[in-house]
Amino acid sequence: MARPMGPVRLKRANPVTIAIGAVLCIFILYFLIASGGSHTISAARNANAASHPLSPPTSPFRKSNSKGKPKPPPVTRYNMNNITTTSNPIENNEHILVLSPMARFYQQYWDNLLKLSYPHELMTLAFILPKTKEGNAATAALQAQITKTQKFGDEKERFKSIIILRQDIDPPLVSQDESERHKIENQKARRAAMAKARNSLLFTTLGPSTSWVLWLDSDVVETPPSLIQDLASHDAPIIAPNCFQRFLNPETNKMDERPYDYNNWQDSPTAQELAARMGPDDILLEGYAEMATYRSLMTHMTTPGESPHQEVPLDGVGGTALLVKAEVHRDGAMFPAFPFYHLIETEGFARMAKRLGWVSIGLPNYKVYHYNE
Amino acid sequence: MARPMGPVRLKRANPVTIAIGAVLCIFILYFLIASGGSHTISAARNANAASHPLSPPTSPFRKSNSKGKPKPPPVTRYNMNNITTTSNPIENNEHILVLSPMARFYQQYWDNLLKLSYPHELMTLAFILPKTKEGNAATAALQAQITKTQKFGDEKERFKSIIILRQDIDPPLVSQDESERHKIENQKARRAAMAKARNSLLFTTLGPSTSWVLWLDSDVVETPPSLIQDLASHDAPIIAPNCFQRFLNPETNKMDERPYDYNNWQDSPTAQELAARMGPDDILLEGYAEMATYRSLMTHMTTPGESPHQEVPLDGVGGTALLVKAEVHRDGAMFPAFPFYHLIETEGFARMAKRLGWVSIGLPNYKVYHYNE
């Protein structure tokens, strides 16, 4: 297997400059659950804590070793081979990681989270917020609510644990206003930054005990309380409800609703032809008149009177609300910050998952609602 | 933005069958470091443990709360915004995660790991082994050595923590023999499976306190003790030493060495032309006469007498030994189990990292050695 010897090129400059500004700045808030309230729940929490206090244990866990108490065993083993991901997650005690990138804090988002009927002691929440003035304000507001819930709230309301990450990457846009965010020329940079934020959150918080990952955008303010159980009951690798937005209809002067998340779609020949003619770094975007893809959007598939459990296959998914089996991510499915088959972020994720053999489905008649700015 | 309403396709069968066999079966062995030995090291370990006992805290951490002792504070915060990734990792107390996929256990691998001079209290080891007969034997042998080191070894030798994952995915090949593994027709399936194993290991163990990830194959049996410091001193996002193999040269009847890891390379026009003519699911492989790529291989770039710190840029990297800044992975760079620019696994990783703006370099004169089967 002899080959010509390659040229030894000159030393390149160290890529320190590339690294600057991308260093993750991480805070962890870990909220211990004070005792009190229902004894049954306390026992469940304790049993759970005892079986795997570290997950994953990338830092040492030292039991207290004061005088008069027995020394900790020098070797402790945590057998965790009973992790399942099933359509009956509560019965099987399945842990769920709820991941929310957050730019602004909405009280309605938090209130809706508290109302979720999935056992809170099986739910870990993790947030990533930008290191900006707006991000600082959102972090402060979030921390106030977390303290209220985890410290003073009813024990049933308290979550297993909560993680907050702060990201040092410069936000690509100055404004988080809806009109500015949605401009087509801003979308590629904005969604690449969002993809990196999602990946940082995912890679840093996914542990060995996680069965499910629920992506829930911090501006989703209304879902059925049984959201997690309802989605999990379909036993799908990736499943998306249909995200709408409530608004005051000026014509009727009554509250109405309109489609919001256009990223849940079935592919079209038009979109594939557009992609085939594109340069390698171009991306397809959904929801813009100037780039008509004629994809079949899930937002347009609702059928009044039909079951909320009616399924449709999807080729692209959005991130407003999305339930993913942890093994899909563990196989390597992440959110590409670069054009992947001319798709980016959550839409690229669905494409990547498909390359790994995992299908996405949607529930057109199962609605969740986005904040109306 | 009106669009034609999409067809509501019939319900697809639940993808349970896809999921079967891919469920991760995870064991965690967490080895507490018993007290004793040098007091300075104990203090350092304790200080470290106190600042972040959970990393990431996806499971509850409950301090003991027996009678007569003060109750734990209801809210505990871990401020972890001082994580750095620099060319002086020891001085900056930087934590490193050493990741090794393992099919067979080699005593020389473990002995070499113990000899690494990077402070062991800053090193977390994590392994992934297949759920096969051979994998069970390797796990047993590994556990015996871990117990010896973590329980009975000198305190300086003990690592911060150790994680073992067992993977339920069927191995694509029956044999792990070198000749069988390296057959070109077996490479795509083998390397796709290896990519998924690497991703499972990475996604499950990377925590918020990790600064560096060292990929070290479990059949790398000889490295300089200062491997981590030497590679980190280059402050590169991704850096690979040159992997060779010692053998008894039949011509001279003396010990000699030969190139081993052909996946560290600089791209060539020939390889790019080959890729351009390939089908979308075909992959380029390095080190096979029947697919001559004429890439410049780092294994052929050694210059006797030159500095081991001489750098060359790389377009593809191998996984035998590879130091990666944690932020590269956090941005989403993983090991594609599918053809990515006609590349797979570690070579696909380098390409994906490049798409994310991170460059790879190699040290042609800095050698590590692979086991000779």
Side-chain angles (χ1 to χ4, degrees):
Chain A
M1 285 192 287
R3 266 182 218 79
M5 169 142 169
V8 178
R9 295 179 206 160
L10 286 174
K11 177 175 165 171
R12 215 181 257 181
N14 271 341
V16 183
T17 46
I18 299 166
I20 293 175
V23 177
L24 262 183
C25 170
I26 298 171
F27 291 78
I28 288 244
L29 289 166
Y30 182 69
F31 293 83
L32 292 171
I33 301 144
S35 58
S38 158
H39 284 284
T40 322
I41 291 170
S42 282
R45 283 183 201 274
N46 277 322
N48 182 261
S51 65
H52 41 83
L54 281 169
S55 172
T58 43
S59 277
F61 167 57
R62 295 185 72 97
K63 293 186 182 172
S64 71
N65 187 18
S66 57
K67 282 180 185 176
K69 296 196 71 184
K71 281 197 173 189
V75 178
T76 309
R77 291 167 196 220
Y78 301 107
N79 188 335
M80 297 174 62
N81 61 338
N82 296 320
I83 309 296
T84 59
T85 309
T86 65
S87 53
N88 293 309
I90 297 179
E91 205 171 278
N92 293 304
N93 220 28
E94 291 169 7
H95 290 251
I96 184 163
L97 180 62
V98 182
L99 299 181
S100 298
M102 182 176 281
R104 287 181 183 171
F105 178 80
Y106 295 110
Q107 187 60 43
Q108 300 96 315
Y109 159 82
W110 186 257
D111 293 342
N112 183 68
L113 208 57
L114 287 183
K115 282 189 213 132
L116 290 183
S117 58
Y118 199 78
H120 287 203
E121 71 264 25
L122 295 176
M123 294 170 70
T124 292
L125 315 182
F127 303 91
I128 190 163
L129 301 100
K131 285 278 274 179
T132 59
K133 202 178 157 188
E134 203 172 40
N136 293 345
T139 306
L142 174 65
Q143 288 188 11
Q145 291 305 314
I146 289 174
T147 303
K148 200 173 149 193
T149 301
Q150 299 294 89
K151 192 170 174 178
F152 303 111
D154 188 68
E155 178 148 12
K156 268 200 307 187
E157 278 193 345
R158 298 181 199 167
F159 299 100
K160 191 175 72 159
S161 64
I162 299 177
I163 303 158
I164 299 180
L165 307 182
R166 298 297 303 274
Q167 203 178 17
D168 254 353
I169 294 173
D170 283 332
L173 297 173
V174 178
S175 170
Q176 273 291 329
D177 286 330
E178 191 166 332
S179 62
E180 192 62 26
R181 275 195 284 133
H182 284 208
K183 276 186 187 163
I184 195 165
E185 59 268 36
N186 291 335
Q187 279 292 300
K188 194 174 164 185
R190 181 187 159 266
R191 295 197 60 194
M194 178 59 98
K196 288 188 183 183
R198 288 191 193 277
N199 289 333
S200 283
L201 189 54
L202 174 66
F203 278 65
T204 309
T205 61
L206 188 69
S209 66
T210 313
S211 292
W212 300 89
V213 176
L214 176 68
W215 291 94
L216 190 66
D217 274 358
S218 61
D219 33 24
V220 170
V221 292
E222 185 189 337
T223 70
S226 53
L227 175 73
I228 294 168
Q229 300 93 305
D230 293 343
L231 296 182
S233 71
H234 289 259
D235 201 23
I238 301 165
I239 184 168
N242 214 350
C243 186
F244 278 67
Q245 186 177 50
R246 296 194 191 277
F247 73 110
L248 185 68
N249 193 327
E251 289 172 23
T252 61
N253 208 26
K254 283 181 182 165
M255 286 308 287
D256 203 348
E257 59 182 42
R258 58 191 170 201
Y260 188 84
D261 193 338
Y262 291 107
N263 292 334
N264 294 302
W265 45 256
Q266 299 172 344
D267 214 353
S268 69
T270 306
Q272 288 177 13
E273 281 159 30
L274 278 172
R277 289 200 307 269
M278 277 180 161
D281 276 351
D282 293 336
I283 57 168
L284 285 164
L285 290 168
E286 197 48 63
Y288 294 89
E290 55 270 51
M291 192 191 280
T293 62
Y294 297 101
R295 288 167 179 156
S296 303
L297 304 183
M298 185 164 77
T299 49
H300 297 157
M301 293 180 193
T302 52
T303 317
E306 258 288 359
S307 162
H309 286 290
Q310 184 199 25
E311 297 179 358
V312 296
L314 294 177
D315 298 303
V317 299
T320 46
L322 191 69
L323 186 70
V324 181
K325 290 192 175 184
E327 59 202 306
V328 176
H329 286 310
R330 287 203 184 95
D331 266 1
M334 53 80 180
F335 302 91
F338 47 82
F340 183 76
Y341 291 82
H342 303 286
L343 301 171
I344 199 165
E345 209 225 343
T346 54
E347 295 163 289
F349 162 72
R351 190 70 186 79
M352 193 176 282
K354 188 179 278 180
R355 290 298 277 124
L356 290 163
W358 302 103
V359 298
S360 303
I361 65 168
L363 304 181
N365 300 309
Y366 194 99
K367 290 183 187 168
V368 301
Y369 294 92
H370 192 274
Y371 187 80
N372 187 358
E373 288 170 275
Chain B
M1 286 191 287
R3 267 180 218 80
M5 169 142 170
V8 178
R9 295 180 205 159
L10 286 174
K11 177 175 166 171
R12 216 181 256 181
N14 270 341
V16 183
T17 46
I18 299 166
I20 292 174
V23 176
L24 261 183
C25 170
I26 298 172
F27 290 79
I28 289 244
L29 289 166
Y30 182 69
F31 293 83
L32 292 172
I33 301 145
S35 57
S38 158
H39 284 285
T40 323
I41 292 170
S42 281
R45 283 183 202 275
N46 277 322
N48 182 262
S51 66
H52 41 84
L54 281 168
S55 172
T58 42
S59 277
F61 168 58
R62 294 186 72 97
K63 294 185 182 171
S64 71
N65 187 18
S66 57
K67 281 180 185 176
K69 296 196 71 185
K71 280 197 172 191
V75 178
T76 308
R77 291 166 197 221
Y78 301 106
N79 188 336
M80 298 174 62
N81 61 339
N82 296 319
I83 309 296
T84 59
T85 309
T86 65
S87 53
N88 294 308
I90 296 179
E91 205 171 278
N92 292 305
N93 220 28
E94 291 170 6
H95 289 251
I96 184 163
L97 180 62
V98 182
L99 299 182
S100 298
M102 182 176 280
R104 286 181 183 170
F105 178 80
Y106 295 110
Q107 187 60 43
Q108 299 96 314
Y109 160 82
W110 186 257
D111 293 343
N112 182 69
L113 207 57
L114 287 183
K115 282 189 212 130
L116 290 183
S117 59
Y118 198 79
H120 287 201
E121 71 264 26
L122 295 176
M123 294 169 70
T124 292
L125 314 182
F127 304 91
I128 190 163
L129 300 100
K131 285 278 275 180
T132 58
K133 202 177 157 188
E134 203 173 38
N136 293 345
T139 306
L142 174 65
Q143 287 187 11
Q145 290 304 315
I146 289 174
T147 302
K148 201 173 148 194
T149 301
Q150 300 293 88
K151 192 170 174 178
F152 303 111
D154 188 68
E155 177 148 12
K156 267 200 306 189
E157 278 194 344
R158 298 180 199 167
F159 299 99
K160 191 175 72 160
S161 64
I162 299 177
I163 304 158
I164 299 180
L165 307 182
R166 298 298 303 275
Q167 203 178 18
D168 254 352
I169 294 174
D170 283 331
L173 298 172
V174 177
S175 170
Q176 273 291 328
D177 285 330
E178 191 166 331
S179 62
E180 191 63 26
R181 273 194 285 134
H182 284 207
K183 276 186 187 163
I184 196 165
E185 58 269 35
N186 291 336
Q187 279 292 302
K188 194 174 165 185
R190 181 188 159 266
R191 295 198 59 194
M194 178 59 98
K196 287 187 183 183
R198 288 190 193 277
N199 290 332
S200 283
L201 190 53
L202 173 66
F203 278 66
T204 309
T205 62
L206 188 69
S209 66
T210 313
S211 292
W212 300 90
V213 176
L214 176 68
W215 291 93
L216 190 67
D217 273 359
S218 61
D219 33 23
V220 170
V221 292
E222 185 188 336
T223 71
S226 53
L227 175 73
I228 294 168
Q229 300 92 305
D230 293 343
L231 296 182
S233 72
H234 289 259
D235 201 23
I238 301 165
I239 184 167
N242 215 351
C243 186
F244 278 66
Q245 186 176 49
R246 297 194 191 278
F247 73 109
L248 185 68
N249 193 328
E251 289 171 23
T252 61
N253 209 27
K254 284 182 181 164
M255 286 308 288
D256 202 349
E257 58 182 43
R258 58 191 170 201
Y260 187 85
D261 193 337
Y262 291 106
N263 292 334
N264 294 302
W265 44 256
Q266 300 171 344
D267 214 354
S268 70
T270 306
Q272 288 176 13
E273 280 159 30
L274 278 172
R277 289 200 308 269
M278 278 180 160
D281 276 352
D282 293 336
I283 57 168
L284 285 164
L285 289 168
E286 197 48 63
Y288 294 89
E290 55 270 51
M291 192 191 279
T293 62
Y294 298 101
R295 288 169 180 155
S296 303
L297 304 184
M298 185 164 77
T299 49
H300 297 157
M301 293 181 193
T302 51
T303 316
E306 257 288 0
S307 162
H309 285 290
Q310 184 199 24
E311 298 179 357
V312 295
L314 293 177
D315 298 304
V317 299
T320 47
L322 191 70
L323 186 70
V324 181
K325 290 193 175 184
E327 59 202 304
V328 176
H329 286 310
R330 287 203 184 96
D331 266 1
M334 53 81 181
F335 301 91
F338 47 82
F340 182 76
Y341 291 82
H342 302 287
L343 301 171
I344 200 165
E345 209 224 344
T346 55
E347 295 163 289
F349 162 72
R351 190 71 186 79
M352 193 176 282
K354 188 179 278 180
R355 289 299 276 124
L356 290 163
W358 303 102
V359 298
S360 303
I361 65 168
L363 304 180
N365 300 308
Y366 194 100
K367 289 182 186 169
V368 301
Y369 294 92
H370 193 274
Y371 187 79
N372 187 357
E373 287 169 275

